[in-house]
Amino acid sequence: MSQVSEDIYRTGKCVDLSGKERKVTGAVPREDALILQEMVRFVKAKTTLETGVAFGLSTLAICEALLEETPDAGRQTPDATGVKHYGVDPEQNTVHGGAALASLKRAGLDSVFELLEGPSHVLLPKLLEKGVTLDLGFIDSWHTFDYTLLDFFYIDKMLRPGGVVLLHDRSWPSKQKAIRFIRTHRRYRELPVRTRDTGTRRRGDAGKWLRRVIAAKWHWMRGAPFGVVTSAIANRPEIAAFLKLESFEPDHRFFRNF
C-alpha cells in the first residue's frame, strides 16, 4: 500500500487541493482497501469504477493495484495503456475540497484516474452509452437500496463476464437487500473475502482491540445497523464480492422474491 495511504490511515487526516488538512471520516478500513487490491489483481483489471470517492482511500488502493498490473501505465497516457479507474462522486470538489485528487497526485497515481463529478444515476448511463467495459466495479456511494440497486444495474451492464462487482457496508439492510437481488436475478457467484495482510498485526499493538470497541461504539451511537457494529468489533470485512458468470437478463415476466 502506498505511503500516502499508510500516512492517512496512521493519522486519520489528509490534505485537500488547497493545502488544508482535513479529518478523514467514513473511509474504507485498511483491511477492506487491501481486499480491493486483491480483487483488482484477481481479475487482472485494467478498467475499473467506483461510486463514492470522498477522501479517496479506496481510490488510492484501486489505482495502486492497477499500476502494479501494468507497471508502465504511470508513464503513459491512459489511452495508450488502456488502464483507467473511473470515480463517480457529486461532491469531490465541493464537500471534500478535492481531497482524493490531492492524495492521488501525491502518490503518483493520478494518471490513471478520471473523476466523473455528478450523481451516479446520471453519469453511469453515459459510460454505458460510450461502450465502456469494466473489469471491476465498487459500489460505495449513497447507501439506500434504490441508489445501490441502480449502481449495480448499470455496472452489471458494463461488467465483463469474469469481472467482479463489490459492495461496501454489506451489513446494512439496504445492502443486504441489493445482495439478495444479485443472488436471485443475475448470474453471479459470491467470492470469499479475506485479507492476507500481516502488517495489521504488528507486535506491541495492544490498543487494536480497544480501537475496535471504540469504532463499534461510534457506529452504535450514530444508529448504524447491528451488523455494522458487530463487524467493527470482530474486524470482519464489510465488503461483499461477486464474480460475474455470464451476461444475463431474465425474461420480462420473471419475478422472484428477494
Side-chain angles (χ1 to χ4, degrees):
M1 187 163 288
S2 73
Q3 190 58 51
V4 173
S5 297
E6 294 287 13
D7 288 344
I8 295 173
Y9 279 119
R10 178 176 53 82
T11 64
K13 297 176 182 178
C14 68
V15 178
D16 66 18
L17 284 175
S18 70
K20 176 184 175 183
E21 187 175 79
R22 289 175 175 257
K23 183 179 180 181
V24 174
T25 58
V28 297
R30 187 178 187 277
E31 291 79 5
D32 291 357
L34 290 167
I35 289 169
L36 287 174
Q37 292 189 324
E38 288 185 7
M39 289 296 170
V40 170
R41 298 177 190 118
F42 172 67
V43 298
K44 295 179 171 55
K46 283 196 168 185
T47 307
T48 56
L49 176 144
E50 68 179 317
T51 58
V53 174
F55 293 103
L57 282 163
S58 56
T59 314
L60 285 162
I62 292 170
C63 288
E64 182 183 9
L66 281 174
L67 286 177
E68 288 176 4
E69 290 298 308
T70 313
D72 293 334
R75 296 188 292 274
Q76 303 177 37
T77 64
D79 290 340
T81 62
V83 175
K84 175 72 72 72
H85 178 55
Y86 297 98
V88 183
D89 193 322
E91 300 176 333
Q92 177 57 209
N93 282 307
T94 53
V95 173
H96 297 102
L101 299 175
S103 294
L104 285 164
K105 189 171 184 62
R106 283 197 301 278
L109 301 171
D110 54 315
S111 64
V112 298
F113 179 70
E114 181 176 335
L115 174 66
L116 304 175
E117 196 157 18
S120 58
H121 64 275
V122 173
L123 295 175
L124 291 181
K126 294 181 180 179
L127 286 181
L128 177 63
E129 188 176 10
K130 284 172 59 178
V132 170
T133 299
L134 299 174
D135 301 305
L136 179 145
F138 178 49
I139 300 171
D140 192 25
S141 54
W142 204 250
H143 279 35
T144 60
F145 167 71
D146 50 352
Y147 280 90
T148 300
L149 185 61
L150 276 174
D151 283 357
F152 170 76
F153 180 84
Y154 285 110
I155 288 172
D156 172 61
K157 288 186 174 298
M158 292 184 277
L159 190 69
R160 66 168 173 83
V164 170
V165 62
L166 303 106
L167 294 83
H168 201 236
D169 298 308
R170 67 171 299 157
S171 295
W172 289 57
S174 56
K175 298 298 181 75
Q176 284 292 308
K177 187 74 170 177
I179 287 170
R180 290 197 293 274
F181 176 87
I182 295 171
R183 290 168 175 161
T184 56
H185 286 70
R186 295 294 185 268
R187 289 181 178 164
Y188 282 78
R189 175 165 59 87
E190 188 164 6
L191 299 173
V193 285
R194 294 289 184 270
T195 177
R196 295 189 297 271
D197 175 53
T198 57
T200 58
R201 296 187 292 274
R202 297 180 178 88
R203 186 172 58 185
D205 190 9
K208 186 174 181 181
W209 171 253
L210 179 60
R211 289 196 298 273
R212 292 184 194 173
V213 172
I214 292 171
K217 183 178 180 181
W218 187 91
H219 286 302
W220 178 260
M221 291 176 66
R222 283 156 181 78
F226 182 70
V228 175
V229 178
T230 56
S231 291
I233 294 176
N235 202 33
R236 287 196 301 265
E238 270 293 291
I239 287 182
F242 291 88
L243 176 70
K244 185 172 183 176
L245 302 178
E246 62 177 309
S247 296
F248 169 78
E249 288 195 12
D251 182 86
H252 71 98
R253 296 164 295 181
F254 177 85
F255 176 77
R256 183 175 297 166
N257 284 320
F258 63 96

